[in-house]
Amino acid sequence: MGIIKASRLVFDYITRDDDEKVQEVNRALDHVDLEITPGSFVAILGHNGSGKSTFAKTLNGILLPTEGTVLISGMNTADDARLLDVRRTIGMVFQNPDNQIIANVVEEDVGFGPENLGIPTRQIWKRVDEALQAVGMSAYRLKSPNRLSGGQKQRIAIAGVMAMRPKCIVLDEPTAMLDPNGRKDVIRTVLELNRREHITVVLITHYMEEVVDADRLVVMDEGSIVMDGAPREVFSRVEELKRLRLDVPQVTELAWELKQGGVPLPDGILTMDELMTYLVPVLKGA
Ligand SMILES: Nc1ncnc2c1ncn2[C@@H]1O[C@H](COP(=O)(O)OP(=O)(O)OP(=O)(O)O)[C@@H](O)[C@H]1O
Ligand SMILES: [Mg+2]
C-alpha cells in the first residue's frame, strides 16, 4: 500500500464576493493520480503555479479535496476522526525557516512538536537528542536559533518535524531562501534521513541539482502530472522539459549540448563523473 495515495484529486481555489457569490474558480489540481511507496524519495518539479504547493497542502489536510481522495497510510484526509493521525504521519517543512522557529533555545524548539503531541517529558528529550543528531546539529542544542545561518535554521526545523516521528516528510522548497552551502547541507540531511531512517521524502524544489539522487521525479504542469520516472529517464527528455519551462542539471545540459554538436553521448547524464567517463575516451580518440 502506498503511504500517499491521491486518486482523481481535484482542488479548486474559489474566490467569492461580499455576497458569497462565486467570482472565480481556479483549478489548481486537475484529477491527479499519484501513489508514493513507503521509504521512497520523490521530488516534485514544475513551473510556478503548476500546483505543487497545493498538492503538498492536501497531504496533511491543510486543504481538503474538492473532488477525489487523498489517503495517507490508508487514512482519508477528509475524515475528521483521522486528521490528527494524518498529521502525525506527514511532517511538513516550508520555505521560510524563520516562520517555523518558535522557541529561543534550539532544544526547546525541537521539543515543541512532541510536547504538543502529549509525549512524556523523558521521551521528549530522547527524541530531541535523536532528531538533532539526525540533522547534524547536536552541537547547537543550547544555542539561540536566531543566531544560526539559514541552512542551520532549516535543519532545526527539520529536526522539529523529525522529533514527531513522522513516516513521511514533505518539504516545499526548503532551500529557496538559502545560500548554496545551506542548500547542500539541507539536501544532504534530507537524503540521509531517507536512506538511513527510511523516512519517505517528498521534496518540492526548483533546483534540479537537488533531485538527481531522488528515486523518482514527478513533473507537474497546470495542475496535472505530465512526467513521472527515475531522474535519468526524466532528464533525458531535455526538449520536453524546456517546453515546460524547466531546467535540467547543468551537467545534463552540457552533455545534451555536446550531443547536439555531434559528440556521441547517451541521454540523461546526471553527474560530472559520468560525463567524464563518456567524454575521456572520445577526447582520447580525437
Ligand atoms: N490562495 C489562493 N487563492 C487562489 N488561487 C491560488 C491560491 N494559491 C494558489 N493559487 C493558484 O493555484 C495554482 C497553483 O498554485 P500553487 O501555489 O500550488 O503552485 P506552485 O507549483 O506551488 O507554484 P510555485 O512554484 O510558484 O510555488 C496557481 O494558479 C495559483 O495562482
Ligand atoms: Mg509553491
Side-chain angles (χ1 to χ4, degrees):
M1 184 179 64
I3 182 164
I4 292 171
K5 187 169 198 281
S7 309
R8 309 304 290 154
L9 171 62
V10 172
F11 186 83
D12 291 337
Y13 287 101
I14 300 173
T15 329
R16 295 173 194 271
D17 62 16
D18 291 343
D19 303 323
E20 292 292 301
K21 217 173 90 208
V22 174
Q23 267 187 323
E24 204 191 322
V25 177
N26 191 350
R27 180 148 296 190
L29 297 175
D30 190 1
H31 298 94
V32 170
D33 287 304
L34 184 65
E35 185 160 355
I36 290 178
T37 320
S40 60
F41 184 145
V42 179
I44 302 187
L45 308 173
H47 194 258
N48 293 326
S50 56
K52 305 178 299 295
S53 295
T54 305
F55 180 69
K57 287 177 193 158
T58 65
L59 298 180
N60 74 345
I62 299 176
L63 298 177
L64 295 178
T66 307
E67 288 172 33
T69 53
V70 176
L71 301 183
I72 301 300
S73 295
M75 302 177 283
N76 192 327
T77 59
D79 179 354
D80 269 348
R82 306 311 299 274
L83 194 56
L84 205 57
D85 286 328
V86 164
R87 292 196 173 156
R88 280 185 188 145
T89 309
I90 304 274
M92 303 279 277
V93 176
F94 297 100
Q95 204 177 81
N96 188 341
D98 289 319
N99 295 345
Q100 300 173 76
I101 297 216
I102 8 195
N104 294 321
V105 182
V106 164
E107 62 176 9
E108 283 171 21
D109 195 84
V110 176
F112 187 81
E115 197 176 343
N116 259 359
L117 294 178
I119 309 292
T121 312
R122 242 194 31 222
Q123 278 183 40
I124 294 180
W125 292 125
K126 185 162 173 280
R127 287 188 180 201
V128 168
D129 274 343
E130 287 173 6
L132 283 173
Q133 213 155 21
V135 303
M137 289 293 289
S138 299
Y140 296 83
R141 187 175 179 134
L142 297 172
K143 301 264 189 269
S144 159
N146 298 319
R147 305 225 107 137
L148 304 178
S149 71
Q152 290 172 330
K153 282 184 194 168
Q154 200 58 303
R155 279 151 69 199
I156 295 300
I158 294 171
V161 169
M162 286 300 296
M164 291 187 275
R165 303 262 168 93
K167 291 202 187 91
C168 170
I169 55 175
V170 177
L171 305 103
D172 190 354
E173 300 198 42
T175 62
M177 306 183 78
L178 308 181
D179 62 25
N181 282 332
R183 287 214 294 269
K184 273 196 203 114
D185 283 345
V186 166
I187 295 304
R188 194 184 314 124
T189 302
V190 171
L191 198 62
E192 275 173 21
L193 290 180
N194 172 255
R195 299 287 192 259
R196 230 178 28 215
E197 324 246 335
H198 310 292
I199 301 276
T200 310
V201 171
V202 177
L203 172 69
I204 297 171
T205 182
H206 282 285
Y207 294 105
M208 300 299 150
E209 268 73 18
E210 297 182 353
V211 306
V212 292
D213 292 319
D215 299 313
R216 178 179 174 196
L217 306 187
V218 171
V219 181
M220 295 189 65
D221 189 46
E222 294 186 354
S224 300
I225 293 174
V226 290
M227 287 191 206
D228 184 350
R232 192 179 304 288
E233 199 181 318
V234 169
F235 286 140
S236 295
R237 295 155 73 180
V238 176
E239 270 154 357
E240 231 174 302
L241 287 165
K242 283 179 190 291
R243 275 200 297 277
L244 294 166
R245 293 171 292 170
L246 290 175
D247 290 327
V248 296
Q250 272 177 1
V251 180
T252 312
E253 172 91 28
L254 175 61
W256 181 75
E257 276 170 13
L258 287 170
K259 192 178 176 195
Q260 301 295 301
V263 181
L265 291 171
D267 285 324
I269 283 180
L270 298 174
T271 64
M272 192 49 94
D273 279 352
E274 242 180 302
L275 176 60
M276 293 322 281
T277 309
Y278 287 106
L279 213 48
V280 167
V282 174
L283 292 172
K284 280 194 176 146

